Amino acid sequence: MLKPTPTPTRELVSLDGVWRFGIDTRLAEQPWIAALDSPLEAAVPASYNDLFTDPEIRDHVGWVYYQREVRVPRGWGGERILLRFDAATHAARVYVDDALVGEHVGGYTPFDIDITDAVEAGGAFRLTVAVSADLSKETIPPGKIEVGMTGKRVQTYFHDFYNYAGLARSVWLYSLPATRIDDVTVVTGFEGSTGIVDYRVEVVGDADVRVRVTDAAGAVVAEGSGLEGALQVPDVVLWKPGAAYLYELTVEAVQRDTVVDSYPVVVGVRTVEVRGHEFLINGEPFYFTGFGKHEDTAIRGKGHDNAYMVHDFQLLEWSGANSFRTSHYPYAEDVLDFADRHGIVVIDETAAVGLNMGVVGGLSGTPPFPTFSEQYAGAATQAAHAQHLRELIGRDKNHPSVVMWCIANEPASNEDGSREYFEPLVNLARELDPTRPLTYSLVMFATFKNDQIVDLFDVVSMNRYYGWYINAGDLATAELYLQGDIQGWVDRTGKPIMMTEYGADTMPGLHSVWDQVWTEEYQTDLLEMYHRVFDRFPQFVGEQVWNFSDFATTNGLHRVGGNKKGIFTRDRKPKSAAFALRRRWRGLDGRKPGTES
Ligand code: GCB
């Protein structure tokens, strides 16, 4: 799916700003047929939850309504006119004036609605967007809504981050020519000093296709024509972690020598491959350093914010991180564009978090009923998961920064039914993208003895909390467990292994000379213990600390003002461990710690 981009043939109007806002319980039925009868207004993009002081809005279960007037530019007669929602979390119904024009389910992937027949160039319309925060067996992530003793509907879900909802990413009105480029897929490689850009174009209507590759200075370095082909780039400059170099592939749809549509795709020439126990980028072993992150800031919730994005990437660079995982959902596309430009490597994760009833069983990991059953993650969940994969890979397939898909976070891969659930999804992902390795993040209860799906994947990604949820305050025992655990996966799989989560909640400003949990020293000591163990395994290909920064969590007893495993606070101040990571990671340039440059 192509991101709306202004080109000589496409125009774009931002609908971001302040919209009228209300929640369904306080509005008339069919609130879209008139101006919303509500005193509230909400910022777009932003999650709505933390904007207001009213607790009923924050934890609202059900639909909320956003509304604004939109004017269509008068020069758009004869063009297709579309709305693009970069995300509506978790489901949306879109109305133009009194009419429903489209719907979408899935809170972290974009969707378009063609409204050409409902609006007029130069005219204005009332745009109402109903957005639902609800999670159920039919959504990814899944959840459950129950009516509590007070008669109120209560949402439960099986992940710790707060269920922020609303229009957290940009909304656009844009024009497309009737005959147009509908999709472009790019796969890159190189032979010696020649770069290969394989491209495939989908066109709506009848047109010839012309393509050209320009280098960073704008010089044309390759040209071709036709719906697909392989372009050769002489003296290629590769896209490398920490040294991004980008070309541009301009695709043109041409009718009788007239360019009727034109679209630029950013191209980084690089390869990704898993060979034996190595993860290779451009044929060279790559060692991931970095974090699992969240889209999470005060007031905005999951609202995309360019200032935070720029600053977060500065902190990645400052700490020597070369990568992050988009835990636990696809991030705003601008973040991937930024990673492409700045040479940061991304593990792109789906929103499939909480496919695990074991977490309800607490540390015993005993599920109250089977996870992969019609009681919880059954056929409907699997269908939603498949649709989500199509949308994620459709959106992100051309980003050079994305080197691996993470299909789920901590699923109950130790339970019966997990293989039946995941095998078709793995096959689908490989069909959608045969080039990138696949992984999933392994929960503690899924051990090298009982996991049922690891052979379907390319990289073993472990989430482990020795020294925190178990052996808290006892790093010596934690070290023994960790060592045995990794050894078990090495022996069982022979695949590359990385740690996608390890860490400790830490209260900034709390100190101790002893191994005391929650102190800044304990967080540092725990990470250093993990690093000692990682460095003993040649099969280890990376370390991503949980988490980049503190983040908001669901209401409950288990967290003090949110998850405090951040290396940075929620407002991005470093805890002591940030300096320890910086000492370990800076200057590695993708090499494994302890190896020669
Ligand atoms: C996990 C989850 C992550 C949590 C983390 C924690 O295993 O994958 O979403 O935030 O543990 O801190 O408990």
Side-chain angles (χ1 to χ4, degrees), residues 262-555:
S262 156
Y263 191 86
V265 180
V266 164
V267 175
V269 180
R270 58 106 184 92
T271 60
V272 179
E273 191 192 340
V274 165
R275 200 187 299 148
H277 61 72
E278 289 183 317
F279 193 99
L280 306 175
I281 298 183
N282 300 331
E284 288 172 19
F286 177 70
Y287 192 88
F288 296 80
T289 56
F291 304 93
K293 281 184 101 264
H294 263 301
E295 291 188 313
D296 176 272
T297 59
I299 316 296
R300 295 169 183 79
K302 297 206 171 307
H304 175 71
D305 182 293
N306 284 325
Y308 269 96
M309 178 181 72
V310 169
H311 191 60
D312 282 4
F313 275 79
Q314 282 284 299
L315 293 177
L316 291 177
E317 197 197 323
W318 175 90
S319 56
N322 60 21
S323 70
F324 64 89
R325 175 171 62 121
T326 69
S327 41
H328 292 311
Y329 37 81
Y331 291 179
E333 204 174 345
D334 312 64
V335 176
L336 299 178
D337 291 338
F338 203 86
D340 289 345
R341 292 197 296 276
H342 294 270
I344 292 288
V345 168
V346 178
I347 300 175
D348 207 352
E349 182 162 291
T350 69
V353 52
L355 292 172
N356 199 328
M357 281 298 103
V359 294
V360 179
L363 289 181
S364 76
T366 312
F369 50 81
T371 298
F372 299 103
S373 65
E374 288 311 315
Q375 269 170 290
Y376 186 57
T381 319
Q382 192 191 34
H385 199 155
Q387 177 58 18
H388 177 61
L389 263 175
R390 281 185 207 102
E391 293 182 18
L392 169 67
I393 296 178
R395 189 193 74 163
D396 292 350
K397 62 188 172 186
N398 293 332
H399 286 283
S401 56
V402 174
V403 300
M404 179 154 66
W405 307 111
C406 183
I407 286 192
N409 183 67
E410 301 195 344
S413 59
N414 51 315
E415 280 188 48
D416 288 346
S418 56
R419 201 169 176 90
E420 290 74 7
Y421 181 93
F422 276 103
E423 199 163 9
L425 296 174
V426 166
N427 293 340
L428 174 66
R430 294 210 192 272
E431 193 183 303
L432 293 167
D433 179 5
T435 72
R436 287 180 180 85
L438 300 180
T439 196
Y440 63 109
S441 283
L442 272 146
V443 69
M444 289 261 275
F445 321 129
T447 66
F448 58 87
K449 289 192 185 135
N450 65 18
D451 171 272
Q452 303 187 15
I453 63 172
V454 73
D455 58 297
L456 301 172
F457 293 82
D458 304 298
V459 173
V460 181
S461 299
M462 303 169 70
N463 292 357
R464 292 296 185 263
Y465 287 97
Y466 300 114
W468 188 255
Y469 291 120
I470 50 179
N471 326 118
D474 179 2
L475 292 178
T477 306
E479 182 164 351
L480 294 176
Y481 274 117
L482 179 64
Q483 172 83 27
D485 194 348
I486 297 176
Q487 187 64 55
W489 288 102
V490 166
D491 295 344
R492 172 169 169 185
T493 69
K495 294 177 194 276
I497 300 176
M498 65 182 292
M499 195 62 65
T500 36
E501 284 185 26
Y502 62 113
D505 282 88
T506 302
M507 191 53 118
L510 195 66
H511 296 283
S512 174
V513 293
W514 304 294
D515 267 355
Q516 296 226 310
V517 293
W518 286 93
T519 62
E520 294 199 36
E521 290 74 20
Y522 188 76
Q523 186 180 38
T524 304
D525 290 349
L526 180 142
L527 299 180
E528 286 180 344
M529 179 278 280
Y530 274 72
H531 297 154
R532 253 195 322 276
V533 178
F534 299 165
D535 292 350
R536 293 180 198 136
F537 291 97
Q539 299 82 354
F540 224 73
V541 299
E543 52 199 60
Q544 291 185 331
V545 175
W546 191 254
N547 187 285
F548 174 75
S549 55
D550 295 343
F551 59 89
T553 51
T554 182
N555 301 341

Side-chain angles (χ1 to χ4, degrees), residues 135-158:
L135 297 172
S136 70
K137 287 198 283 190
E138 272 117 63
T139 61
I140 286 290
K144 201 167 163 193
I145 295 172
E146 284 160 318
V147 179
M149 284 171 76
T150 59
K152 247 181 70 179
R153 294 172 77 222
V154 182
Q155 173 81 64
T156 46
Y157 43 92
F158 305 96

